[in-house]
Each structure stands twice: as C-alpha cells, then as structure tokens.
Amino acid sequence: MAGDKQILIFSDAGGTGRSYHADLNAVNRRRRSHYLLEAGWRADNAIQGLGRSHRTNQASAPIFRPVTTNVRGEHRFISTIARRLDSLGALTRGQRQTGGNGIFDTKDNLESEYAEYALYELFKQIYQGRFAQVPLGTFEQMTGLSLTSHEGGMKIDLPPLRQFLNRLLALKIGMQNLIFERFELLLSQQIETAKAQGIFEVGVETLRAERFTVASIESVYTHPGTGSVTNYLKIERTQKTDIKTAVEAVELATNYQGRLMVNSKSGSAAVCIPTHSIFDDQGGVIPRVLLVRPQKETRVPVDKLKSSNWKQVLTDEFVVAWSKEVEELPKFTIDYIHLVTGILLPIWKVLPQQNSRVFRLQLSNGEKVLGRVVNAENIRQVAEQLGMKNKLLSPEELISLVLNERYSEQLPGGVTLRSSSIASERRIELVNALSLADRLVAVGCFTEIIQWKKRVFIPANSKAASILAAVIEILG
C-alpha cells in the first residue's frame, strides 16, 4: 500500500480483514491486477479474497484474472467456484451475475442447464460412434461410466454431469483434453443458439444506454383483491453506436491472426478471424470463421465463406472500404423494448413461456423500471390476450427484427415480410408481392431475378423503415 512493493501474494490466511486496494488515502493508487491462482471450493472464501483488492474509497477497480493451465480438466475447479458464486449472488443480491463480480464467463460454469444439454449431446455422439477418437467401449472402460442399457440401447438415466466431470479428471491428460474440448465446443454451441433465439437466461439484466424514454404506457390488469396494477410499457432506447475504426480493425487482424476482407459485390469490409467450430447431426466438425464488421459480428462456415463474394485484400484497399462504411453509419441508433411491469404472477401464464428475461433500467427522468420482457414478435399475441388493441409494431421495429432476429411478419394483402440470405448477405424480402412490383419499386423497393425467379426486396439501409411504411400504405 506504501508503494515499496509492486507484487503481493496472499492465501486464505491473508484474505480476511486486510486491504490491498487502490485506496485514495494510500501512496500506491495504481490499478491492481488480481490474479486468482487457486479459486478453491468455497465461494465465500473466494469472495473474501477478491474483496481484498476491490473495496470502497478506491481510485480504480482492479482487473480480475482467473488463471488456469492448458490442462482442460482444471476448468472443473473454475466451474465449481463460478457456479457457487452465481448461487451466492442470487441469494445475496437477487441477481445471479453479480455474485462473481463479472470475472467468469457463462462457459466457465460447466454445471448449468446448457452444460446438461451439451453432455447429453456428447453421450449421444459417443454412443452412436460420431466421436471417432473416443469409441464407446474405450470411453466406458476409461471412465467407468456406462451409456448402454441392459436391452442394448442407450440409457435413459445417463450418468450425471458432476460424476462425468469428476471421472474425466482421472484420465490421461491427452484424452482428458480431447473429451473436454468436444464437451466445451458443444457447450458453446448451446449457449450461442440460446442467445440467437433470445432465450438465454442470465437473471435480472441491467440495461444501459444514452437515453431511455417511455413511448407509450397502458394499464393492462388490475388485481381485484389488492388493486395492484400491471402496465405495458413501450420504451424507446437511444444508444451510441459502437463502431470500430479502421485502425482498430487492422489491429484486431494483427492480434488474432485475421485476414482483411472486402465483399466484391457490396463493397463492405470485414476482418476474418478463426472461431470455435460447431457439429452437424452426424457429429462432423463444421469449421467456422468470425466476420467482424464495423458494427456487428457474424459466424460463417468456412465453405460458405469460400463460395461467397468475400475476398482477401491488401491493407490500403481494406482501410478505404472500412472507412467508407463507417462514414455512412448513424452515430446513434434507436430501438424499442417491450416491458410488462407491476404485479405479474396473476398474468404470468399469458406471457410467453419460452423466454422469462427480466430487465432493469433507469429512464431519462430518473425513474427506475423493472419488468418482464416481451419480445416484439410476441407483442401481438400478448396484446390480444391482455385486451390491448392496435399494438402493432412500428416500421423501425419490424426492420430491426427482420435483419437482426430473422423475424417474419404477415402484412396486409397476403404479403410476407421476412429475412432472406442471398450469397451470405442478409436481405429484407417481400414474398407474394410480384403483382404490385411496379408500385413497390416506385417507392424504393427493388427486384432481382434469382434462380430464374423474380423476387422483391427492400434495401437494407437507413431508408428501409420509411420504404416499409410506404409499402404498408400501398398494401392497405
């Protein structure tokens, strides 16, 4: 604390009652880097240790760095402390992600529901012979875990997750790493799928943005006994656009073995870097790459990338294309959040059951809001059941959903608005609209012949919402 020493090592014995943080009253106010070498098995001890360098009256918060070796089985110990910290956060603060101070990733918890799904898929691949490096008989002999029932089929009551993780620790490191790597890839695949579907469960999520304002509010239910009210809020969220500069993009490619790419058709730029693979239905590995764009990231199978219009270019050409795209992007983006707040238990069954996310946010007027999220595509159904009328999505919301969540909407006149992928490019398509093609083109749409069929699209740019509004007016 006096600045005489730059490195401090302490164990459980030094993890209670002492302060090692960047105290404003201390000589050494430099930011601490706290390396967690051995998390141990007790969450309360871990929090005590982490709390030595993260306390009130500090100049800056520390950087926490959990340390593991390349022995994959060691993740088992990190998993235990991550799970217990999550549980402790749920008990002490009412939200799971606060217990671990944000130092653990979702994939660090090897005992979550997503890990259960991943383990079932791993067992299925081993039993069906889709994990060639680990035959069924070899796996059962090495681990002592039986996957085969007395009738000869795959067991219904498969070995539990914790038993599987503990048995893997007894294997030779090479085999241990091989099985853990497959298990962790399957876990990443489960989490990625849940996030893409908008059903990833992390407890209460605190949202932050430049501005939250209430676009509309409507009382939808009043409890007959207590008079408590349930409200539907449509909240407009204004966010500063997170845009990577050309310099940051080139640096990203340098640090992560990336390639600089430009789409020869659209002129868009992207950094192509390696990412984790996924598995197909036969257990085969599908290699993928991560395409980092100025404002978003997408994962693409390697074979699709090779057949697309993305081509590797030199730095100068890449910087020009990237900078041009950045200049055309808006500095702020506006979207909408749909919340049901107030008393929820009496109407819980009315709300969509596949997604139970809860958001906390603070409005521009200082008022704090806590509510159950209703995805925009479910608003129409929920509105009808709660007695709300004419709660249709705005053109801006529809465009955002179609582009970002592959949402489809039935428009008047039997026309469907949907997301389509053309040569790895995300487009906004109007299906069954050919009879009105001339009128639609006149308001900004365009047509293209693909595989001998004429199709109608809305340009995926800043004018998309206004063009969609004109299309809806034409359709009546």
Side-chain angles (χ1 to χ4, degrees):
M1 300 295 281
D4 295 334
K5 305 286 186 182
Q6 300 302 317
I7 298 174
L8 167 71
I9 301 174
F10 68 93
S11 63
D12 283 350
T16 305
R18 301 298 299 270
S19 296
Y20 310 129
H21 63 299
D23 196 311
L24 291 172
N25 298 321
V27 175
N28 183 4
R29 301 179 190 176
R30 297 202 309 170
R31 189 173 193 179
R32 273 59 168 161
S33 291
H34 189 142
Y35 294 87
L36 182 62
L37 297 181
E38 290 186 2
W41 293 90
R42 293 189 57 181
D44 52 349
N45 281 358
I47 288 180
Q48 280 288 336
L50 298 175
R52 299 309 96 202
S53 62
H54 186 29
R55 307 181 69 78
T56 56
N57 197 44
Q58 60 187 4
S60 61
I63 301 172
F64 290 117
R65 300 185 186 276
V67 179
T68 62
T69 67
N70 59 354
V71 178
R72 301 301 263 269
E74 197 171 343
H75 293 190
R76 172 72 177 101
F77 303 102
I78 289 291
S79 168
T80 300
I81 199 68
R83 174 179 58 82
R84 294 183 180 181
L85 283 173
D86 280 348
S87 302
L88 191 60
L91 289 172
T92 58
R93 304 193 191 180
Q95 55 184 116
R96 285 187 289 271
Q97 73 270 30
T98 56
N101 290 291
I103 64 172
F104 294 109
D105 190 75
T106 312
K107 297 189 290 292
D108 290 327
N109 186 355
L110 302 180
E111 300 175 50
S112 64
E113 58 177 310
Y114 304 104
E116 295 277 2
Y117 298 143
L119 179 63
Y120 175 75
E121 181 60 31
L122 175 67
F123 284 157
K124 194 162 65 170
Q125 288 188 8
I126 293 174
Y127 180 80
Q128 295 175 352
R130 292 188 282 137
F131 191 177
Q133 299 94 325
V134 184
L136 174 62
T138 304
F139 176 81
E140 291 183 332
Q141 182 181 6
M142 288 188 306
T143 62
L145 301 175
S146 175
L147 307 184
T148 310
S149 66
H150 295 296
E151 294 77 17
M154 184 173 170
K155 277 186 174 181
I156 297 177
D157 54 335
L158 291 165
L161 183 58
R162 292 187 191 180
Q163 186 181 28
F164 162 75
L165 293 172
N166 290 336
R167 293 291 175 89
L168 283 191
L169 296 177
L171 302 183
K172 291 184 177 179
I173 290 176
M175 180 60 68
Q176 186 183 120
N177 288 352
L178 182 66
I179 297 176
F180 252 111
E181 183 176 3
R182 175 67 67 106
F183 173 66
E184 288 178 331
L185 277 175
L186 289 168
L187 175 57
S188 298
Q189 190 171 333
Q190 290 290 339
I191 293 172
E192 184 180 323
T193 301
K195 288 180 177 179
Q197 294 174 349
I199 58 174
F200 184 64
E201 179 64 48
V202 294
V204 178
E205 300 176 61
T206 301
L207 300 185
R208 290 176 175 82
E210 291 291 315
R211 184 170 63 253
F212 291 107
T213 54
V214 177
S216 65
I217 181 170
E218 183 172 346
S219 176
V220 296
Y221 175 79
T222 302
H223 191 268
T226 63
S228 300
V229 177
T230 304
N231 292 319
Y232 158 70
L233 275 69
K234 180 178 177 181
I235 296 176
E236 181 182 283
R237 173 171 58 179
T238 303
Q239 298 185 92
K240 188 174 182 180
T241 309
D242 183 16
I243 302 175
K244 295 180 178 66
T245 65
V247 174
E248 291 172 333
V250 173
E251 185 178 352
L252 183 71
T254 304
N255 294 338
Y256 294 94
Q257 302 176 346
R259 292 178 291 157
L260 305 178
M261 314 284 283
V262 169
N263 191 301
S264 58
K265 185 174 183 179
S266 66
S268 302
V271 177
C272 176
I273 61 177
T275 187
H276 61 267
S277 304
I278 57 174
F279 299 97
D280 58 21
D281 295 336
Q282 284 71 46
V285 178
I286 302 178
R288 298 190 303 172
V289 292
L290 180 67
L291 287 182
V292 181
R293 305 282 304 283
Q295 203 175 355
K296 62 181 181 179
E297 300 176 352
T298 54
R299 287 181 170 83
V300 181
V302 172
D303 58 346
K304 285 190 176 181
L305 180 72
K306 290 179 179 178
S307 61
S308 70
N309 295 312
W310 289 103
K311 307 299 178 186
Q312 188 170 356
V313 297
L314 298 176
T315 304
D316 291 344
E317 183 180 347
F318 170 83
V319 169
V320 170
W322 186 282
S323 301
K324 181 181 177 182
E325 193 172 351
V326 167
E327 289 175 2
E328 296 174 353
L329 290 173
K331 298 298 183 286
F332 291 89
T333 57
I334 296 176
D335 62 351
Y336 295 90
I337 301 168
H338 303 268
L339 291 181
V340 180
T341 65
I343 184 168
L344 296 179
L345 286 179
I347 64 165
W348 193 264
K349 291 184 178 179
V350 175
L351 304 176
Q353 298 304 303
Q354 72 274 17
N355 179 15
S356 301
R357 298 171 71 188
V358 177
F359 284 173
R360 177 194 287 120
L361 55 89
Q362 184 170 332
L363 300 175
S364 300
N365 61 8
E367 180 185 353
K368 294 183 180 179
V369 176
L370 177 69
R372 166 80 184 272
V373 181
V374 178
N375 285 345
E377 60 265 31
N378 296 321
I379 281 294
R380 192 187 306 279
Q381 172 193 349
V382 174
E384 291 174 356
Q385 295 187 7
L386 292 178
M388 296 188 292
K389 304 298 181 184
N390 301 321
K391 290 298 178 187
L392 301 179
L393 300 174
S394 66
E396 291 81 6
E397 290 175 280
L398 284 173
I399 293 297
S400 175
L401 286 168
V402 168
L403 286 177
N404 301 323
E405 301 181 32
R406 302 190 181 186
Y407 174 64
S408 63
E409 173 78 4
Q410 192 69 35
L411 300 178
V415 175
T416 301
L417 178 74
R418 74 175 187 186
S419 169
S420 297
S421 180
I422 309 296
S424 299
E425 178 187 353
R426 185 64 52 202
R427 290 197 187 179
I428 308 166
E429 184 174 8
L430 293 169
V431 183
N432 299 327
L434 280 179
S435 59
L436 298 170
D438 293 340
R439 294 179 63 189
L440 296 177
V441 169
V443 297
C445 297
F446 69 94
T447 61
E448 186 173 332
I449 296 176
I450 301 172
Q451 294 183 344
W452 303 283
K453 290 183 179 180
K454 192 175 184 180
R455 297 164 68 174
V456 183
F457 301 95
I458 295 176
N461 55 31
S462 58
K463 298 180 180 179
S466 59
I467 294 174
L468 177 58
V471 169
I472 294 174
E473 188 174 344
I474 291 174
L475 297 176

